[in-house]
Amino acid sequence: MTSRVSLPSWQALQTHAKEMKSQHMNDLFAADTSRFDKFSVQLPAMLLDYSKNLVTADTMEKLITLAKECDVESWREKMFSGEQINKTEDRAVLHTALRNREQTPIYLDGENISDCVEAALTKMKAFTEQVRQGKWKGYSGKRITDIVNIGVGGSNLGPQMVTEALKPYSDDSINVHYVSNVDGTQIANVLRPLNPEKVLFIVSSKTFTTAETMTNAKTAVKWLTSASFDQTSVAKHFVAVTANKENAVAFGIDEDNIFDMWDWVGGRFSLWSAIGLPIALDLGFEKFIELLEGAHDIDKHFCETELENNAPVILALLSLWNCTFLGAQSQAILPYDQSLHMLSAYLQQAEMESNGKSVSWHGEEISYPTVPSIWGELGINGQHAFYQYLHQSNNVVPADFIGSVESVTPVQGHHETLMANFFAQTQALMAGVNEEQVRVDLTVKGRSKSYIDKVAPHKVHKGNRPTNSILMTRISPRSIGSLIALYEHKIFVQGVLLQICSFDQWGVELGKGLANEIQAELESEENIRPHDSSTTGLINFYKSTLNKAD
């Protein structure tokens, strides 16, 4: 099978990377006063500025050539048309169909799935209105005031990130809570202040077998029935989002209260489906549709824009350039908006679970670095935590800075201070400051020569640290939809460029299987089966200590 490293464009980029490592962005900006105009893209709800990357027009031309040699355009067509591009699971990848606001027909196995999506949205709308208008009653006849979403991974991170981001748009008629951790502390803390008569649980699991989710769901049932003294109350307080209706019905959930999931939607790309019920319940169904419309805006941009100006393609190519060719091993996601405080965690799952792999789609070991590790924090918090590392460590960490022009919660002077830091940090990471500049500055400040000699080397910042700046006009359902879709398509293009299947997650499955086996051993009084000495020792220590405590 042909490896990416054999492509002429790949080899050209390897040579070019060696040349570019001796360049500094300061010189690139000095040589071209129109650099920002050349290396930025205006989107419907945001601006992408990628000029503070170690790239030239020649770099971008070589990267675009690689994208074309990797057939990104044809792979894009395959995804949107419903071809089974998830080869290891023989599935189509059609999360984009969930926000196909033009409702163009998309056929899968002879069925127009656009009709299925619209039917699901109609059911979601009716349910959302029933709950928000107080027509859905609990076992005692009281209206629902609190929603508890039980899920993990994509069934949790997406909806929670969005509801947190769009809090200013909620009318607070419904309180939404999330439970994902199987550590009993979380569900106990969530349930403790709630009234069982007024709580509705959403259990989200494609298979309805996920151990963490089902453990939490069973605990929720016990909590409810211990208050209602009636097992039939489950039907009035539980709904499910799943592809396994049989399991959900066996659990006690009324079939009418089961919302569809499909195997052509991966969990981490599923918030556009009924997995997004908490979003609709919190914000109202109209705002949920605006979220879909924002994503659809980027779908259209991704499909209709030439690669040279295609924002998701550019982001994917820059990630490849910075990681695979220039050697960066991680990337920071740095939101400068409090409402985006969960974005780093969300994108961490989206990218690392999708493309954190070392085998090509041909089943061959990959010889080149793939995606970086993703991490981050709110920008202002990060400035007083790990920005020291970003500025002066030997490890170069590319970073995405994400903010908005207008604040959704304007407080005089605050947003200006926030954004001043946004702009200053990207400039500082790019430009740095050399020792000569440090010495001049300290001399002007009247410092002695001995002090300057001692301190100057410590104050040097090499700069040349790549950043992308994404500026939304305003945080809104539509712009958040666009932002998420922008990164989803970036991840897809990354997978194509790297020859990685982005839509499976076999690395997750291994640990799950072992955990099920070990749990049985923890609950048994018999001797455990052989493990490696470390695992055996840990389990024995756990069990013996627990027995002593009893």
Side-chain angles (χ1 to χ4, degrees):
M1 299 293 181
T2 303
S3 170
R4 290 296 189 231
V5 297
S6 66
L7 294 174
S9 55
W10 188 284
Q11 294 172 10
L13 282 163
Q14 285 180 315
T15 301
H16 183 63
K18 293 174 184 176
E19 300 165 356
M20 289 300 296
K21 285 178 181 178
S22 63
Q23 299 288 313
H24 199 290
M25 278 185 262
N26 281 335
D27 299 324
L28 301 181
F29 273 92
D32 187 356
T33 57
S34 62
R35 183 172 171 84
F36 169 80
D37 296 326
K38 291 177 181 175
F39 300 119
S40 61
V41 177
Q42 180 71 59
L43 296 161
M46 67 190 73
L47 170 77
L48 165 63
D49 168 27
Y50 62 97
S51 60
K52 292 190 180 83
N53 279 274
L54 191 60
V55 296
T56 62
D58 186 32
T59 312
M60 295 309 299
E61 184 179 341
K62 284 179 167 60
L63 286 168
I64 294 297
T65 300
L66 174 65
K68 290 178 178 176
E69 287 191 4
C70 292
D71 294 324
V72 165
E73 290 158 305
S74 65
W75 278 98
R76 178 180 62 190
E77 174 62 28
K78 290 175 184 179
M79 180 173 73
F80 276 86
S81 65
E83 190 169 321
Q84 290 184 330
I85 63 169
N86 180 351
K87 297 295 186 183
T88 62
E89 296 177 314
D90 296 322
R91 293 174 179 172
V93 176
L94 280 169
H95 50 276
T96 54
L98 300 170
R99 67 252 188 154
N100 174 21
R101 301 310 302 148
E102 294 167 7
Q103 298 178 36
T104 50
I106 302 171
Y107 290 95
L108 192 62
D109 299 326
E111 181 180 25
N112 181 8
I113 62 169
S114 293
D115 291 341
C116 300
V117 170
E118 283 307 304
L121 286 171
T122 299
K123 183 174 180 177
M124 281 180 66
K125 180 180 180 181
F127 172 75
T128 299
E129 291 176 350
Q130 265 196 310
V131 175
R132 286 176 57 83
Q133 293 170 10
K135 295 176 182 177
W136 183 291
K137 307 291 186 183
Y139 69 85
S140 66
K142 295 180 180 178
R143 69 177 293 159
I144 299 299
T145 58
D146 292 87
I147 303 293
V148 177
N149 187 79
I150 299 176
V152 70
S155 299
N156 171 77
L157 269 173
Q160 187 172 11
M161 185 272 289
V162 172
T163 54
E164 289 290 318
L166 297 177
K167 267 187 177 179
Y169 294 88
S170 172
D171 61 7
D172 295 324
S173 61
I174 300 283
N175 301 308
V176 179
H177 315 268
Y178 291 88
V179 173
S180 60
N181 197 340
V182 75
D183 184 334
T185 303
Q186 186 183 37
I187 192 167
N189 288 342
V190 167
L191 295 182
R192 188 173 293 116
L194 304 184
N195 182 347
E197 300 171 86
K198 299 181 177 182
V199 177
L200 181 68
F201 294 93
I202 303 171
V203 183
S204 294
S205 171
K206 182 181 284 189
T207 62
F208 227 72
T209 60
T210 306
E212 302 93 330
T213 298
M214 300 320 299
T215 299
N216 281 322
K218 289 171 185 175
T219 297
V221 168
K222 290 177 184 176
W223 177 80
L224 174 70
T225 54
S226 66
S228 66
F229 302 104
D230 186 358
Q231 192 69 31
T232 63
S233 62
V234 172
K236 295 184 178 181
H237 289 266
F238 279 78
V239 300
V241 184
T242 184
N244 192 335
K245 288 187 178 181
E246 185 177 336
N247 278 17
V249 169
F251 184 83
I253 297 177
D254 191 297
E255 189 168 356
D256 291 338
N257 300 332
I258 299 173
F259 294 83
D260 288 328
M261 284 189 74
W262 302 278
D263 66 5
W264 38 266
V265 178
R268 54 192 174 276
F269 304 97
S270 64
L271 68 86
W272 321 101
S273 70
I275 290 292
L277 265 178
I279 303 169
L281 287 163
D282 187 30
L283 306 178
F285 191 74
E286 294 76 15
K287 293 289 190 295
F288 181 74
I289 292 298
E290 289 177 26
L291 184 80
L292 302 186
E293 288 170 344
H296 185 59
D297 289 340
I298 296 298
D299 292 345
K300 291 179 67 177
H301 167 83
F302 180 49
C303 287
E304 297 172 2
T305 307
E306 68 280 1
L307 299 186
E308 290 80 357
N309 293 301
N310 196 303
V313 173
I314 289 168
L315 285 175
L317 288 169
L318 290 171
S319 175
L320 184 77
W321 172 245
N322 288 323
C323 177
T324 306
F325 291 100
L326 296 182
Q329 295 182 340
S330 71
Q331 178 178 355
I333 303 294
L334 307 172
Y336 276 71
D337 196 299
Q338 180 65 34
S339 62
L340 298 176
H341 71 96
M342 286 194 66
L343 182 65
S344 302
Y346 174 76
L347 293 179
Q348 186 178 67
Q349 187 215 14
E351 185 164 325
M352 293 173 72
E353 192 167 276
S354 295
N355 292 333
K357 295 159 187 173
S358 58
V359 175
S360 76
W361 57 45
H362 302 304
E364 299 170 339
E365 192 76 19
I366 287 174
S367 62
Y368 44 83
T370 55
V371 295
S373 57
I374 304 295
W375 57 284
E377 172 60 277
L378 286 172
I380 292 296
N381 293 347
Q383 287 178 200
H384 297 273
F386 55 78
Y387 275 39
Q388 166 64 46
Y389 181 90
L390 297 185
H391 282 288
Q392 289 188 305
S393 166
N394 281 333
N395 295 324
V396 175
V397 180
D400 286 0
F401 282 69
I402 303 162
S404 59
V405 175
E406 299 177 31
S407 173
V408 179
T409 312
V411 179
Q412 188 173 6
H414 282 248
H415 199 62
E416 291 78 8
T417 302
L418 179 73
M419 295 311 296
N421 278 274
F422 178 116
F423 300 134
Q425 290 294 335
T426 64
Q427 182 179 356
L429 286 164
M430 181 274 290
V433 58
N434 61 36
E435 187 166 346
E436 181 183 353
Q437 292 170 310
V438 170
R439 288 180 174 277
V440 169
D441 178 63
L442 292 175
T443 300
V444 169
K445 290 178 178 176
R447 295 291 191 172
S448 68
K449 184 178 184 302
S450 61
Y451 176 85
I452 294 173
D453 288 343
K454 178 177 71 173
V455 171
H458 298 279
K459 293 175 71 71
V460 170
H461 293 61
K462 295 178 182 178
N464 224 25
R465 312 288 169 125
T467 62
N468 297 309
S469 293
I470 298 174
L471 268 181
M472 291 177 281
T473 307
R474 194 171 194 263
I475 300 288
S476 69
R478 191 158 193 143
S479 66
I480 290 295
S482 291
L483 181 68
I484 297 168
L486 174 69
Y487 277 99
E488 284 182 345
H489 292 317
K490 170 206 170 183
I491 289 163
F492 162 71
V493 175
Q494 277 178 315
V496 174
L497 295 171
L498 295 165
Q499 279 191 319
I500 283 174
C501 183
S502 303
F503 302 103
D504 58 25
Q505 54 279 330
W506 300 109
V508 178
E509 304 303 322
L510 174 61
K512 282 184 178 180
L514 289 172
N516 289 336
E517 295 172 8
I518 290 174
Q519 182 171 347
E521 295 175 342
L522 296 181
E523 295 171 348
S524 170
E525 295 183 3
E526 297 178 7
N527 292 333
I528 66 170
R529 64 185 179 85
H531 297 276
D532 62 86
S533 61
S534 170
T535 305
T536 299
L538 289 168
I539 294 173
N540 283 332
F541 177 82
Y542 173 89
K543 293 184 73 171
S544 63
T545 305
L546 196 62
N547 289 335
K548 288 176 185 176
D550 292 341

